[in-house]
Amino acid sequence: MHIDDALRARRSIRAFRPDPVPLELVREILQAATLSPSGTNIQPWKVHVAAGAVRARLEAEVLAHRESDPEDKAAEFPRSSKRKEPYTTRMRTLGKAMYGLLEIPKGDQAANWRQWGRNYQFFDAPVGLIFTIDKDLDAMSFVDLGIFAQSLMLAAAARGLGTCAQGAWNNYWTVTRRVLSIPEDEYIVFGMSLGYADETAPVNSLVAEREPVDSFASFHGF
């Protein structure tokens, strides 16, 4: 697959088929992603891959904790909940389109809560990935981690697999740390679903709008 085709094929999948993903294929995708660049080649990414009984336990225990203590949802590292324009409009536009496809009416808090919980089921994907980073690294290493994740998603798309990067996994991180035995000196940054997209699910028809180049790029000296 040409890189441009992989970029077009990649989208956030929020409904997966139960078909298993062989360990060899997961390792192949991770190996391809190791070609990602990083500042001074420190390669700061760490990935905890969960499948089978471990993935099922992670899902069950995070959802149980979420129901018993719904307010325990702060990220382990500083995150801002404040957004200004144009970011607020972009976020709301995506949310309106997605929840429309899911037939969740505006203001239905119970349905919203259930749908948000789908994150912790990896949207039924058979493989869940949790990305972590050493706590003593600076913000530039978070950039490296993002580049690695994009490489992984493109490698998956080129092999016919779907993904969804999920910031929701830096909530309820105490449970994730315990279940996956993640060391205390690592931040749980985000998760990712990996599997085969359920193309019959309406939510997977969602294509997020993208801004034109001239809205974000300034050209100097041309």
Side-chain angles (χ1 to χ4, degrees):
M1 182 181 287
H2 188 278
I3 184 63
D4 287 359
D5 294 329
L7 283 163
R8 281 187 286 267
R10 189 222 63 81
R11 62 190 191 279
S12 294
I13 299 301
R14 295 181 176 88
F16 289 84
R17 305 199 312 263
D19 310 48
V21 181
L23 174 59
E24 295 76 13
L25 183 53
V26 177
R27 294 182 65 90
E28 180 182 315
I29 292 168
L30 288 167
Q31 184 63 49
T34 65
L35 298 173
S36 301
S38 59
T40 63
N41 196 38
I42 67 168
Q43 305 172 64
W45 42 78
K46 297 182 181 181
V47 188
H48 303 262
V49 184
V54 175
R55 181 216 165 284
R57 180 189 166 201
L58 178 61
E59 173 187 326
E61 296 197 20
V62 171
L63 287 175
H65 179 78
R66 179 175 179 261
E67 293 300 326
S68 66
D69 191 1
E71 297 306 313
D72 179 25
K73 57 185 179 181
E76 189 179 13
F77 54 90
R79 285 190 62 181
S80 174
S81 60
K82 298 178 181 179
R83 288 189 174 91
K84 61 182 181 179
E85 293 297 347
Y87 314 117
T88 301
T89 294
R90 293 173 188 169
M91 177 180 67
R92 289 175 177 169
T93 298
L94 176 68
K96 182 178 180 180
M98 182 178 72
Y99 280 84
L101 290 168
L102 292 166
E103 299 183 344
I104 296 176
K106 184 178 180 180
D108 190 334
Q109 297 301 318
N112 287 340
W113 179 253
R114 288 193 299 272
Q115 180 59 32
W116 186 253
R118 293 279 293 148
N119 279 282
Y120 306 108
Q121 297 173 299
F122 293 107
F123 300 111
D124 297 329
V127 178
L129 301 95
I130 301 295
F131 296 77
T132 68
I133 194 170
D134 287 357
K135 289 181 177 180
D136 60 356
L137 294 173
D138 65 18
M140 294 307 297
S141 291
F142 282 79
V143 175
D144 296 337
L145 181 60
I147 294 171
F148 175 83
Q150 171 74 336
S151 296
L152 192 158
M153 290 187 284
L154 292 177
R159 291 162 175 78
L161 288 159
T163 55
C164 185
Q166 300 164 256
W169 281 97
N170 61 49
N171 301 138
Y172 312 114
W173 51 269
T174 54
V175 182
T176 303
R177 184 182 304 286
R178 173 171 49 78
V179 173
L180 298 183
S181 300
I182 296 172
E184 292 288 341
D185 61 356
E186 296 177 21
Y187 281 134
I188 295 170
V189 184
F190 60 94
M192 186 183 293
S193 302
L194 175 68
Y196 295 97
D198 178 358
E199 299 294 356
T200 68
V203 71
N204 285 338
S205 67
L206 177 63
V207 178
E209 296 179 2
R210 292 295 189 264
E211 296 296 316
V213 170
D214 288 336
S215 73
F216 61 82
S218 299
F219 299 92
H220 308 272
F222 285 88

